[in-house]
Amino acid sequence: MLLNVYNRFPVNFVKGEGLTLIDDKGDRYLDFVSGIAVNALGHAHPKMVETIQKQAETLLHVSNLYYNEAQNKAAEKLLEATKYERVFFCNSGAEANELALKIARKYGKGISPSKNVILYMKNSFHGRTTGTLAVTGQEKYQADYRPLIPNTVEVEFNNVAELKAKFNDDICAIILEPVQGEGGLASASSEFIAEIKALSEKHNSLVIFDEIQCGLSRTGTVLYSDQLPLKADVVTLAKALGGGVPIGACITKGRANEILVPGDHGSTYGGNPFVCSVAYTVLSEITTPEFLANVRKMSDYARQKLSELQVKHPEIEEIRGQGLLLGFKLKENLAAGDFVKKALEHKLLLVAAGGNVVRYFPALIVTEKEIDATIPILDQVFTEMKK
């Protein structure tokens, strides 16, 4: 019935409450996937439900031929929280990255016909469109779809020497996830970020941060890059922005603001009143100082608990990630995919990432009690897998 593009787990969920998912048999699961960092406020958050009901009775769609108040409010809230200047709303992270690439290419063309090369990172993930695949540094995603768009060059993440060797005046932009998601939760080093800043200034190139997974409060600041000494020209967002409804955003500042003109880009559904009203509600919750402080508190607590587990189970090679974008890398004797399947049997939802990493992504409203509830399950999975 469905196109065969997912290896789905054998469970059918029918209801959600906070960090709990309930299947069609009535079994309850603790959700530490959060729709892959989407459900920032958990499931069926009352303020989201209220907004959805109210907006459904008011206005769903009018197209971008006209202004709508929900889009205006969402834009104002997002730009105020991120300190950026312009935004385009679309339907997904991949679409946001497509727009970022178009901005980069047109920017370069305005300087020189040869300034059209985009640097991207090995093990990155920016989407599954033919454009974003060209800057997704994983052969398993690219192989069957070549030829991809030209003039994209891969750089090893955190390899300063290689970055220097490949950066030149033909580079119109560099795109990276400051914390790689699908690539295994590796974080950009301070040396790498400093070199990107220096080289992009030297060669007059745009910097694009893909914060689709690490942005919007998951690391305890509105943008993860708020913690970095480099503010990108373009930032792409999605996932947590809608808390479960499909919306993405591409935000810009400075020289990136005015590159595109009417007719250069568009989206039929992007920024419709329905999704923007929900995004406004989500942003109003997750960007307050009190909410961010609690994310940082829960992050410290979760990392502490995972560290204690690592002492008992040295099969955990490393705890990775930032904030509540957490995960643990397993040693080669255990496979992350097998670990996730075994955890599912114990009613704990996890998801694997590259590099044999198990992602641990609770909703941002997680409590100490819910974190505590995962530890004996993880302990049991380790014990069973070692037998």
Side-chain angles (χ1 to χ4, degrees), residues 52-206:
I52 288 167
Q53 291 174 337
K54 181 178 179 180
Q55 192 63 43
E57 295 172 347
T58 307
L59 190 65
L60 293 179
H61 178 76
V62 293
S63 90
N64 283 302
L65 297 175
Y66 316 100
Y67 291 103
N68 73 78
E69 191 57 27
Q71 185 179 121
N72 294 340
K73 288 178 63 178
E76 183 178 18
K77 177 65 73 173
L78 179 59
L79 296 176
E80 177 187 27
T82 60
K83 306 300 187 289
Y84 273 71
E85 297 163 352
R86 298 283 188 274
V87 59
F88 181 88
F89 289 114
C90 51
N91 305 295
S92 69
E95 288 184 31
N97 281 330
E98 285 281 350
L99 175 53
L101 298 180
K102 289 176 73 173
I103 290 172
R105 282 281 170 81
K106 188 174 181 184
Y107 169 78
K109 186 177 181 180
I111 298 172
S112 166
S114 64
K115 195 174 184 66
N116 55 27
V117 179
I118 298 172
L119 295 183
Y120 68 95
M121 301 298 115
K122 184 176 182 180
N123 294 325
S124 61
F125 184 87
H126 297 293
R128 297 175 187 269
T129 63
T130 51
T132 55
L133 280 176
V135 293
T136 288
Q138 299 190 52
E139 181 64 17
K140 65 181 180 181
Y141 294 127
Q142 294 180 327
D144 290 338
Y145 305 103
R146 297 188 188 281
L148 301 170
I149 66 170
N151 296 351
T152 62
V153 175
E154 184 180 272
V155 175
E156 185 178 3
F157 194 54
N158 284 332
N159 188 326
V160 172
E162 185 176 356
L163 178 69
K164 287 182 178 179
K166 292 182 175 179
F167 219 120
N168 56 53
D169 284 343
D170 288 341
I171 306 302
C172 62
I174 179 169
I175 183 171
L176 70 152
E177 304 153 276
V179 183
Q180 292 189 329
E182 303 294 323
L185 301 181
S187 301
S189 68
S190 57
E191 295 81 8
F192 198 62
I193 291 296
E195 200 60 44
I196 290 172
K197 182 176 182 180
L199 290 169
S200 63
E201 290 174 356
K202 177 182 178 180
H203 296 287
N204 196 15
S205 307
L206 296 182

Side-chain angles (χ1 to χ4, degrees), residues 82 84-88 93 95-105 107 126 172-178 205-212 223 225 230-237 249-260:
T82 60
Y84 273 71
E85 297 163 352
R86 298 283 188 274
V87 59
F88 181 88
E95 288 184 31
N97 281 330
E98 285 281 350
L99 175 53
L101 298 180
K102 289 176 73 173
I103 290 172
R105 282 281 170 81
Y107 169 78
H126 297 293
C172 62
I174 179 169
I175 183 171
L176 70 152
E177 304 153 276
S205 307
L206 296 182
V207 176
I208 302 167
F209 279 164
D210 176 339
E211 295 212 30
I212 288 162
L223 298 177
S225 52
L230 173 59
K231 198 169 180 69
D233 300 282
V234 181
V235 177
T236 56
L237 302 165
C250 183
I251 57 176
T252 63
K253 71 175 185 68
R255 56 186 175 171
N257 285 342
E258 308 298 337
I259 294 167
L260 301 187

Side-chain angles (χ1 to χ4, degrees), residues 342 345-346 378-387:
K342 180 64 70 172
E345 295 175 11
H346 293 276
L378 295 172
D379 181 27
Q380 182 66 25
V381 171
F382 274 113
T383 300
E384 292 178 8
M385 290 189 71
K386 287 186 289 186
K387 287 181 178 179

Side-chain angles (χ1 to χ4, degrees), residues 19 30 32 298 300-306 308-309 348 360 362 366-380:
L19 270 77
L30 194 53
F32 271 60
M298 289 302 101
D300 291 343
Y301 187 77
R303 190 176 285 273
Q304 173 195 331
K305 288 297 179 180
L306 291 175
E308 292 171 2
L309 188 70
L348 172 62
Y360 185 91
V366 68
T367 64
E368 291 183 359
K369 181 179 179 181
E370 288 159 333
I371 292 168
D372 288 343
T374 69
I375 302 304
I377 299 175
L378 295 172
D379 181 27
Q380 182 66 25

Side-chain angles (χ1 to χ4, degrees), residues 38-50:
V38 167
N39 301 107
L41 295 176
H43 301 283
H45 189 277
K47 289 188 177 180
M48 287 182 64
V49 171
E50 180 183 2

